[in-house]
């Protein structure tokens, strides 16, 4: 499961298996691109990471595609 919480334009992330290898939580708020990179670095597939970001904030996810 991937849980992304928006905090004043930044995001906090928690992820658990099977999306990542083992349960992880970020320590500092990140921007949308950093969230996707963080998830991938911890074993999440690109599509799952992007989909989770899109659910959390569709406008931020769309902006990353530009």
């Amino acid at each position: 499961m991937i849980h992304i919480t928006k905090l004043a334009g930044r995001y906090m992330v928690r992820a658990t298996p099977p999306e990542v290898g083992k349960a992880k939580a970020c320590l500092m708020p990140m921007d949308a691109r950093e969230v996707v990179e963080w998830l991938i670095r911890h074993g999440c597939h690109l599509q799952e990471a992007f989909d989770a970001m899109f659910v959390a904030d569709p406008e931020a996810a769309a902006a990353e595609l530009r």
Side-chain angles (χ1 to χ4, degrees):
M1 179 177 101
I2 300 170
H3 182 75
I4 301 173
T5 305
K6 189 172 182 178
L7 292 166
R10 308 274 292 171
Y11 307 91
M12 296 296 289
V13 183
R14 281 184 298 128
T16 58
E19 282 78 9
V20 294
K22 67 181 203 177
K24 297 278 183 184
C26 68
L27 300 175
M28 301 290 292
M30 301 179 279
D31 65 29
R33 178 178 297 269
E34 292 170 322
V35 168
V36 173
E37 291 172 352
W38 185 90
L39 287 166
I40 292 168
R41 210 171 31 251
H42 289 93
C44 188
H45 292 283
L46 173 62
Q47 187 65 50
E48 291 174 344
F50 183 79
D51 289 349
M53 190 64 237
F54 188 81
V55 169
D57 191 347
E59 290 180 18
E64 290 302 317
L65 290 176
R66 294 183 204 151

